[in-house]
Amino acid sequence: MILVTGGLGFIGSHTVRPLLDLGEGCVLVQRRTGEVPAEFAGAQVTVERADITDLTALLDVGTRHKITGIVHLAGSMPWPPGSDEPIDGARKAIGSLFNVIEAAEAWGVPRVGVASTIGVYAGLTGAGPLREDMPVPLTAPHPIPSFKKIGELLADHLTGATGIEIVNYRISAIWGPRGRPADPFFPAPQLVHAATRGTAPDLSSLRFPAYADDAIDLCYVKDCGRAIALLQLADRLNHRTYNVASGRATTNAEVIAAIEKVVPDAGIDLPTGGSGQRNYLDITRIQQDTGYRPDYDTERAAADYIAWLRAGNER
């Protein structure tokens, strides 16, 4: 059984499905609920209610299930900022990673995957692919990449100290069903939700103004989940860090064009200009070691996302 922390969340739920398709049962650890969602009814899925900041509660899960792998996707930092007292919040964030690794050691789990982020590359200049072997800046512009960099360093140390294969997933900008309708870093979800509702997009949550020519490595969540499942189940991995991404730069203009293929009267308009950056994550490593290839281009992703929303779903 693969234990997935945050298994009912955005990326987590889309990772469980391909794990099941590949023949693995899943134990989903959630803090707030112990119910198996309808979409997994009849599947080899169990939901355990436990807080991963509580080591005793986490270890207790292993008394009821034979855990053979861990995919750690639950949040590793206090979010939103200010939700915890700073020192206590930081202690919980780092402590949860320690707890997951300690549980893996206790259960004899050989491989643990840990979510990192495209944000660790922030500050690198120039266009083109961002590779896992590039030196990344020690500083970070936001708490999320700050904690992820700390996590990557700890994972590298703990891999050597414990003998557990700890794999970092540097996850790109992810969009699709169950994601936040208002993302602070890129506007694609806001644009899709607005077009589906027939309203003007509210981009007030963005940290920076959005331009039509702005680009980011935009990966559909179903591709992201499948990539993580492949990394978890690969017979052999040659690296400890992998980019989980589409492997291409997608502009906001391309997203708008894809949306308007499905909603011709969406009327979305963003100003031209922007940074001109065309960075994207190099996915050579994951392709070579797992055979991963993205199934969703921008048009297919937008159509699938809109269809999901039109079916009466909101997240």
Side-chain angles (χ1 to χ4, degrees), residues 4-247:
V4 184
T5 71
L8 296 180
F10 176 35
I11 294 175
S13 61
H14 289 283
T15 301
V16 170
R17 176 51 61 191
L19 284 171
L20 294 172
D21 292 343
L22 290 167
E24 289 289 338
C26 294
V27 177
L28 316 185
V29 176
Q30 290 293 131
R31 189 171 62 235
R32 295 187 179 90
T33 181
E35 297 180 1
V36 177
E39 67 182 294
F40 297 133
Q44 194 179 358
V45 173
T46 301
V47 177
E48 290 280 356
R49 187 174 183 178
D51 188 334
I52 61 173
T53 65
D54 182 341
L55 178 59
T56 301
L58 180 59
L59 288 172
D60 190 50
V61 173
T63 67
R64 294 185 292 278
H65 308 279
K66 175 59 177 175
I67 306 300
T68 57
I70 300 177
V71 174
H72 180 34
L73 300 175
S76 61
M77 60 159 288
W79 187 263
S83 59
D84 278 306
E85 188 277 330
I87 294 176
D88 187 51
R91 183 180 290 114
K92 288 179 181 178
I94 302 304
S96 65
L97 176 61
F98 285 142
N99 287 349
V100 167
I101 303 306
E102 188 167 346
E105 192 172 34
W107 299 333
V109 169
R111 179 180 293 164
V112 176
V114 179
S116 186
T117 175
I118 187 176
V120 302
Y121 293 110
L124 296 180
T125 58
L130 298 168
R131 301 186 311 275
E132 296 93 337
D133 58 359
M134 287 179 167
V136 298
L138 184 62
T139 57
H142 189 274
I144 291 177
S146 294
F147 278 86
K148 295 304 187 184
K149 288 181 182 184
I150 293 168
E152 286 194 13
L153 289 169
L154 287 172
D156 182 65
H157 164 69
L158 291 170
T159 289
T162 65
I164 298 169
E165 185 180 32
I166 305 174
V167 181
N168 297 303
Y169 313 137
R170 288 183 178 170
I171 299 172
S172 69
I174 307 300
W175 64 323
R178 299 189 188 87
R180 284 182 292 181
D183 194 280
F185 301 109
F186 58 96
Q190 289 94 309
L191 301 179
V192 170
H193 279 258
T196 306
R197 291 192 304 262
T199 62
D202 179 2
L203 303 180
S204 60
S205 66
L206 292 173
R207 287 169 52 82
F208 303 101
Y211 295 91
D213 301 323
D214 287 340
I216 195 168
D217 190 313
L218 196 61
C219 181
Y220 200 52
V221 68
K222 293 182 179 180
D223 281 331
C224 175
R226 184 168 52 84
I228 291 171
L230 290 171
L231 285 169
Q232 178 59 40
L233 300 181
D235 291 335
R236 174 184 170 85
L237 294 177
N238 295 303
H239 306 278
R240 299 285 74 79
T241 300
Y242 289 85
N243 289 333
V244 174
S246 69

Side-chain angles (χ1 to χ4, degrees), residues 251-307:
T251 66
N252 290 331
E254 290 176 275
V255 173
I256 292 170
I259 291 170
E260 290 180 341
K261 286 268 189 178
V262 184
V263 188
D265 58 350
I268 302 171
D269 187 33
L270 292 179
T272 58
S275 67
Q277 291 282 341
R278 289 293 184 272
N279 289 128
Y280 58 92
L281 303 191
D282 185 284
I283 57 174
T284 302
R285 278 188 180 182
I286 191 172
Q287 287 179 329
Q288 290 177 340
D289 285 5
T290 73
Y292 163 76
R293 297 288 189 282
D295 284 339
Y296 288 81
D297 60 15
T298 310
E299 286 190 8
R300 186 183 178 197
D304 187 76
Y305 196 177
I306 291 168

